[in-house]
Amino acid sequence: MSLRGKIVFITGASAGIGAATAMAFADQGARLLLAARRAGKLAEVASQALERGAAAVHSFDLDVRDHRAVQQAVDDLPSDWAEIDILVNNAGLSRGLDKLYMGKIHDWEEMIDTNVKGLLYVTRAVVPGMVVRGRGHVINLGSTAGELTYPSGAVYCGTKAAERAINDGLRQDVLGTPVRVTSVDPGMVETDFSLVRFHGDSERAAKVYKGVKPLTPEDVAEVIVWAASRPAHVNIARVLMTPVQQANSILFHRES
C-alpha cells in the first residue's frame, strides 16, 4: 500500500521513536500531523520531516493526558487535515524503578495518565472518523514489559499490559470495518526512555544499556511503516521485537 499523501497522526513526536517514525513516514511522502508537549523540539522534527520528503507537516502542542484538549485538537483540525488515515499512539513514558510498596504516587499517576488514559483519549477522538470513512489504521506502541512483569516495574508493566488489552479489544470492536489495529512491542530501545525514568540521572540511565546493543528508534520506526504499508486486507496484529541480546523483559546477555 502506498503511503504517499496519507495523513499520519503521531503523538509524542518530538523525540525518540516518535521522531524516528515521523522521518520514516516522511521518506514515504506522507502528510504528517505531529503532536507533543515540547514545542521547540517538535518544531525541529517538523522541519527535518519536510526536508526528508514529507508532503506536508502540521504540528501542534498536545498533552494527551488532557482529554478535553485532545478532543478539541482533533475537532479543530483544518478540513484538509481532518481525515486521518494512520494514527500512531506513541506518547508514553516510565517514571521511577521502585518496589511497588515504596513507589511514588506522582510517578504512578503520570504513567497511567499518559500510557493508558492518553492512549484512550486519542483513540476515542480519532477512530470514529476512521469507521465512518471506511478506512484507517491504528498503530499502538506497546512493550515487552506488557508481556512479562519485571521487579520494581509493576506499574509501568501494568500500563503496557493495559495497552495490549486495549489494542486487542479495539481490533475486535472494529471487526466488520476496514480499520486495522496493530501493536508494535519493542524491547530495549536506546532513547531518552531511561533518562526520563530516572528523572535526568544520565549515569544511571547509561547503565541500562551497558553490554547490550539495543534497538534504535529507527529500527522500531521501520517496523511501524512496514505494518502500515501492508495491503489493505492484511492486518498485522502484533509485532514483538527485541535486540538479539534480549530474550524478554528480564533476560539479557550482556557482554563484559
Side-chain angles (χ1 to χ4, degrees), residues 9-12 35 37 62-71 73-74 87-93 108-127 138-141 159-160 162-163 166 170:
F9 181 17
I10 305 170
T11 64
R37 288 184 293 174
L62 182 66
D63 185 342
V64 299
R65 296 175 298 177
D66 185 338
H67 76 274
R68 291 185 178 87
V70 169
Q71 188 63 59
V74 173
L87 167 62
V88 182
N89 273 316
N90 167 74
L93 79 167
W108 295 355
E109 290 178 339
E110 190 172 10
M111 287 186 282
I112 293 167
D113 288 349
T114 305
N115 301 357
V116 182
K117 294 166 71 176
L119 169 71
L120 289 169
Y121 296 156
V122 178
T123 300
R124 180 64 179 84
V126 173
V127 173
V138 180
I139 302 176
N140 297 310
L141 259 292
T159 67
K160 287 304 177 180
E163 178 277 334
I166 292 165
L170 178 62

Side-chain angles (χ1 to χ4, degrees), residues 105-256:
I105 302 298
H106 175 76
D107 286 348
W108 295 355
E109 290 178 339
E110 190 172 10
M111 287 186 282
I112 293 167
D113 288 349
T114 305
N115 301 357
V116 182
K117 294 166 71 176
L119 169 71
L120 289 169
Y121 296 156
V122 178
T123 300
R124 180 64 179 84
V126 173
V127 173
M130 292 181 169
V131 172
V132 169
R133 291 188 296 274
R135 69 178 190 276
H137 193 169
V138 180
I139 302 176
N140 297 310
L141 259 292
S143 171
T144 53
E147 298 208 341
L148 181 63
T149 305
Y150 51 78
S152 300
V155 177
Y156 174 71
C157 293
T159 67
K160 287 304 177 180
E163 178 277 334
R164 179 173 178 172
I166 292 165
N167 181 85
D168 292 352
L170 178 62
R171 196 173 67 252
Q172 295 172 39
D173 288 344
V174 298
L175 188 64
T177 79
V179 176
R180 304 188 292 178
V181 183
T182 299
S183 185
V184 175
D185 303 350
M188 181 184 285
V189 186
E190 189 165 10
T191 64
D192 288 341
F193 177 88
S194 292
L195 194 64
V196 171
R197 160 169 270 175
F198 299 128
H199 299 279
D201 186 337
S202 57
E203 185 176 347
R204 189 178 181 190
K207 290 179 181 178
V208 172
Y209 309 105
K210 187 176 180 179
V212 176
K213 183 176 181 179
L215 300 173
T216 67
E218 290 74 20
D219 292 330
V220 182
E222 182 178 352
V223 170
I224 291 170
V225 170
W226 169 79
S229 62
R230 295 309 85 204
H233 71 287
V234 176
N235 185 81
I236 306 299
R238 182 179 298 112
V239 177
L240 179 67
M241 57 187 298
T242 65
V244 170
Q245 292 170 268
Q246 179 182 11
N248 53 40
S249 60
I250 60 174
L251 288 177
F252 296 84
H253 174 72
R254 296 183 186 271
E255 301 289 348
S256 58

Side-chain angles (χ1 to χ4, degrees), residues 66-88:
D66 185 338
H67 76 274
R68 291 185 178 87
V70 169
Q71 188 63 59
Q72 196 67 53
V74 173
D75 290 343
D76 290 348
L77 286 172
S79 59
D80 57 337
W81 286 99
E83 296 188 359
I84 296 166
D85 295 295
I86 300 166
L87 167 62
V88 182

